[in-house]
Amino acid sequence: MSNSYECILTEVVGTGERKTGLIRLNRPKQLNALNDMLMDELGQALLAFDADEGIGCIVLTGSERAFAAGADIPTMAPHNFMSAFKSGLISKNWETILRVRKPVIGAVAGFALGGGCELAMMCDFLIAADSAKFGQPEIKLGIIPGAGGTQRLPRAVGKSKAMDMLLTARMMDATEAERAGLVSRVVPADQLMTEALAAAEAINGFSAPSTMLIKELVNLSFQGALSDGVAVERRYFHALFGSEDQREGMGAFLEKRAPKFQHR
C-alpha cells in the first residue's frame, strides 16, 4: 500500500481493465479516530480515485480492531460553541465522500462507533466482518452525533432501533446490523477483504455509466417524493439507450456471449 499519506494507506488492486481503489484508515494507536488530517487525506484520496478513469469502484476499510472508533475527542474537547461553529467542526471535511460518483463499499471490522459509524453509513453499502460492532455513543459525552447519525441511522434501521441506539448508547453487533438493514452482508473476519474486493471487481465489470446512475438514483430515493424519483429513473433509463454500452450489452445477450463494455 502507498504511504504518501500520514493517516491513510491507498492501493490500486484488481486484475481487470478497471481496478479498485482501496483506502485503509491508518491511525492504529487511536483505533482510527477521525481527526482533521485523516478526513482531509481521505477526501483527497476519494476524489483522486473518483477522477481516475481506470478505477471503477472504491473500497474503504480500517483495521481488524476498528473501522473507526469515532471522532478524535482530545482535539474536539476544548471547543466552545463559537469556535466549533466558526471552524466548521466536522462539517468542513467530513462529507467529501458524498461527492464521489463511483460506488464506495465500506468493509467494516471491529468498532464503527460515533463518527466511525456515520462515515460507514456514508458508503454506498457495507460488508461487515462478524467482529463488527456499530454504535452512536455520543450521548455518553453530553453531545449528539454531528455527521448525520440522527438522520442516516433511522433511514437505515428504522425509528425505534435508531432511538434505542442513540438514547442508550448500546452497540449493535454484525448479526443485528444485517438483520436491521444497516449492512448488506456479514462474513467471517478473515474473509472480509476477499469478499469486499470481489464485490468491487464484479462492479468493475459492469458499465460505468450504469453503476454511477444507479448510485445517483438510489440516493435520490431518500431525498424526495417517490413519484419524482421514478420519473427521473425512467428518464435516465431512456438516456442509457443512447450509450454504446447499452448496444453492446443487449447485443451480447442476443448473441449469447459476454459483453465487453467500453464505459461510454
Side-chain angles (χ1 to χ4, degrees):
M1 284 195 171
S2 167
N3 60 356
S4 58
Y5 298 102
E6 292 189 33
C7 298
I8 64 172
L9 298 171
T10 62
E11 184 180 0
V12 175
V13 297
T15 58
E17 178 184 345
R18 286 163 65 81
K19 295 182 171 51
T20 300
L22 175 60
I23 303 174
R24 188 181 297 276
L25 308 181
N26 188 43
R27 297 186 73 210
K29 292 182 180 179
Q30 298 83 12
L31 295 180
N32 294 330
L34 306 172
N35 64 1
D36 268 350
M37 178 177 287
L38 186 152
M39 296 308 293
D40 283 340
E41 291 182 350
L42 175 59
Q44 292 166 22
L46 285 165
L47 294 179
F49 280 142
D50 200 35
D52 187 339
E53 291 293 329
I55 299 295
C57 188
I58 300 168
V59 172
L60 175 61
T61 192
S63 67
E64 292 181 3
R65 291 185 65 198
F67 175 77
D72 196 41
I73 303 303
T75 63
M76 296 175 66
H79 279 284
N80 57 33
F81 168 74
M82 196 53 65
S83 64
F85 175 69
K86 285 185 173 180
S87 67
L89 185 64
I90 289 185
S91 60
K92 68 178 181 180
N93 57 4
W94 275 63
E95 295 190 340
T96 306
I97 189 171
L98 302 180
R99 294 160 49 192
V100 175
R101 301 183 69 195
K102 294 172 182 174
V104 179
I105 302 171
V108 179
F111 297 111
L113 304 178
C117 186
E118 290 170 305
L119 177 60
M121 289 190 290
M122 293 185 213
C123 296
D124 294 311
F125 66 91
L126 299 178
I127 299 176
D130 52 15
S131 64
K133 294 185 181 297
F134 300 86
Q136 298 285 168
E138 288 88 348
I139 199 166
K140 288 184 175 182
L141 303 175
I143 59 171
I144 63 172
T150 65
Q151 303 302 300
R152 291 190 179 91
L153 191 60
R155 286 167 168 79
V157 305
K159 175 186 174 183
S160 184
K161 197 170 288 288
M163 284 285 199
D164 181 8
M165 293 177 67
L166 290 162
L167 293 174
T168 70
R170 78 172 182 88
M171 288 188 288
M172 176 188 288
D173 65 19
T175 299
E176 184 181 2
E178 182 182 30
R179 189 169 65 242
L182 182 60
V183 307
S184 66
R185 60 182 109 159
V186 177
V187 300
D190 62 357
Q191 296 178 27
L192 175 64
M193 294 313 299
T194 299
E195 291 283 337
L197 292 172
E201 189 157 354
I203 292 169
N204 291 340
F206 298 129
S207 169
S210 294
T211 62
M212 293 166 70
L213 284 174
I214 286 171
K215 171 173 176 167
E216 184 175 327
L217 287 163
V218 171
N219 287 331
L220 179 64
S221 74
F222 289 93
Q223 298 169 10
L226 175 61
S227 58
D228 294 337
V230 171
V232 175
E233 177 191 71
R234 188 164 297 119
R235 189 63 64 236
Y236 282 177
F237 170 76
H238 294 158
L240 284 173
F241 278 77
S243 71
E244 293 180 24
D245 284 345
Q246 175 270 332
R247 290 189 291 277
E248 169 62 14
M250 291 191 175
F253 177 84
L254 294 173
E255 295 166 14
K256 295 181 170 52
R257 59 176 176 82
K260 296 181 180 180
F261 294 121
Q262 300 300 313
H263 312 292
R264 56 179 184 256

